Amino acid sequence: MSTIARRGIHYMQRLNSANVSSALLENGQNRVIDASLTLIRERAKLKGELVRALGGAVATSSLLGVPLGHNSSFLQGPAFAPPRIREAIWCGSTNSTTEEGKDLQDARVLTDVGDVPIQEIRDCGVDDHRLMNVIGESVKLVMEEDPLRPLVLGGDHSISFPVIRAVSEKLGGPVDVLHLDAHPDNYDEFEGNYYSHASSFARVMEGNYVRRLLQVGIRSITTEGRAQAKKFGVEQYEMRTFSRDRHFLENLKLGEGVKGVYISIDVDCLEPAFAPGVSHIEPGGLSFRDVLNILHNLQGDVVAGDVVEFNPQRDTVDGMTAMVAAKLVRELAAKIAK
């Protein structure tokens, strides 16, 4: 376990060694969690009221940052990604219009409810089980404010489990998931971590929150990864056969008969030449235009999504990967908004 991952645990151990009662600790943790959820609730309420007052929106993308990196098996830098992505979204080097013509400065297209204060919660000794529940409850608070739909900024890929679970529970049924990634992230547990970023889609599938899971861009997969895919009925499209699969993947139709489509984009789905700022560099990936073609041509009601695993600590000096992650967010926001 990394130093960052142990911080909250060590803090709690120090308090326990000082004979602080468990009831006192739990009460304090509950207050911090309640305050965190209150902030998300009130910001979502304000943004929802604004969008409804403007009128005309059926669905509005709402950014929700989840700066969590301690479930990464290698580097924890994705915890620092949300502010870097936001900065790049509004960088003066580009305009606010997406490729399909939606203006992100229109609050009916994109709003922002801020970040879940992950480290502040963990510093109080809150474990991952409760932390995942806080993330899920934050997502539900956004969804309560119609027409807001959550677009989550990671963070490592472990966040997709509580987000997809919350979306499915809030909508009252399973969704179809389009997952773009170099890795299937479907280990039963990775290095003993039930909530590892390498296990998020095992958690999702065993919970029956998803009907169809399509994984695209896969090029680093073990025997267990293939066995898990077979166990859960996952549709995997590996890069070694992408030229054969391209036409199908660029003409997807998802979400019919379920509650909609969820899109999860791990930045390492891309060829590292396009996005070097990731923890797990895996050559031979998708081009940026490949990803946009899949996204733009997808037919289905996109109810939520995430962009994860951008690691600012490995980015180029000029922030190239931040701009790539931001463009993914911009285009996904446009796909959600209507």
Side-chain angles (χ1 to χ4, degrees):
M1 189 182 295
S2 71
T3 301
I4 293 176
R6 289 194 297 262
R7 184 182 300 169
I9 295 172
H10 282 176
Y11 180 73
M12 191 169 185
Q13 288 174 342
R14 289 197 299 271
L15 291 178
N16 284 336
S17 67
N19 297 317
V20 175
S21 73
S22 59
L24 186 151
L25 284 173
E26 186 174 354
N27 287 337
Q29 291 169 352
N30 289 340
R31 290 197 302 272
V32 171
I33 289 171
D34 288 345
S36 302
L37 292 175
T38 296
L39 180 60
I40 298 296
R41 178 186 297 109
E42 294 305 318
R43 291 198 61 164
K45 185 178 294 184
L46 173 61
K47 299 304 175 70
E49 290 171 345
L50 172 62
V51 172
R52 291 191 294 272
L54 290 171
V58 175
T60 298
S61 298
S62 182
L63 299 183
L64 173 67
V66 183
L68 184 155
H70 65 272
N71 282 322
S72 175
S73 59
F74 182 44
L75 300 172
Q76 282 77 49
F80 304 105
R84 299 287 78 79
I85 295 174
R86 287 189 177 94
E87 181 181 20
I89 289 172
W90 303 112
C91 175
S93 70
T94 186
N95 60 53
S96 61
T97 304
T98 68
E99 289 198 4
E100 295 187 325
K102 293 181 180 177
D103 188 352
L104 299 180
Q105 290 187 337
D106 185 341
R108 293 168 295 188
V109 175
L110 181 67
T111 65
D112 191 340
V113 300
D115 290 352
V116 181
I118 297 294
Q119 194 56 56
E120 290 80 358
I121 295 172
R122 295 188 71 241
D123 280 346
C124 299
V126 173
D127 63 21
D128 263 8
H129 178 71
R130 294 181 70 194
L131 186 62
M132 294 296 166
N133 289 337
V134 172
I135 295 169
E137 287 304 310
S138 299
V139 169
K140 290 179 181 178
L141 289 172
V142 173
M143 296 177 72
E144 284 179 5
E145 294 299 326
D146 188 64
L148 303 189
R149 295 185 176 185
L151 175 46
V152 179
L153 308 180
D156 69 46
H157 222 150
S158 67
I159 70 168
S160 292
F161 164 53
V163 176
I164 293 172
R165 178 178 63 180
V167 169
S168 174
E169 289 177 345
K170 190 66 177 176
L171 295 177
V175 293
D176 286 343
V177 173
L178 173 61
H179 169 206
L180 296 105
D181 202 327
H183 317 88
D185 293 347
N186 63 0
Y187 286 98
D188 182 51
E189 289 186 14
F190 191 75
E191 297 179 341
N193 184 359
Y194 181 81
Y195 292 112
S196 171
H197 71 156
S199 301
S200 51
F201 286 92
R203 302 289 82 81
V204 166
M205 295 306 290
E206 67 191 11
N208 295 315
Y209 303 113
V210 172
R211 179 186 63 175
R212 291 180 68 189
L213 171 58
L214 286 76
Q215 298 185 317
V216 181
I218 304 299
R219 56 195 186 276
S220 178
I221 183 170
T222 64
T223 300
E224 181 180 350
R226 297 186 195 282
Q228 286 282 88
K230 184 176 180 180
K231 173 184 175 181
F232 292 121
V234 178
E235 302 167 49
Q236 291 182 330
Y237 299 91
E238 299 184 38
M239 284 308 302
R240 62 191 176 91
T241 61
F242 181 73
S243 59
R244 183 188 68 198
D245 300 328
R246 179 190 295 273
H247 178 75
F248 171 74
L249 295 173
E250 291 184 351
N251 294 277
L252 291 172
K253 189 173 185 179
L254 299 173
E256 287 189 344
V258 289
K259 298 299 181 178
V261 182
Y262 185 98
I263 299 177
S264 180
I265 304 178
D266 185 321
V267 178
D268 73 21
C269 73
L270 293 163
E271 166 62 41
F274 297 99
V278 295
S279 299
H280 299 267
I281 293 173
E282 193 65 43
L286 297 161
S287 75
F288 194 82
R289 185 52 55 183
D290 291 334
V291 173
L292 289 192
N293 286 343
I294 292 169
L295 183 62
H296 288 160
N297 295 334
L298 170 68
Q299 296 181 56
D301 183 20
V302 181
V303 294
D306 64 59
V307 174
V308 298
E309 295 287 355
F310 163 47
N311 184 346
Q313 295 178 330
R314 301 196 88 183
D315 203 1
T316 58
V317 174
D318 58 357
M320 180 173 76
T321 314
M323 292 300 292
V324 167
K327 174 106 176 185
L328 292 171
V329 171
R330 288 160 59 99
E331 297 302 315
L332 184 50
K335 190 70 177 181
I336 293 171
K338 56 186 178 182

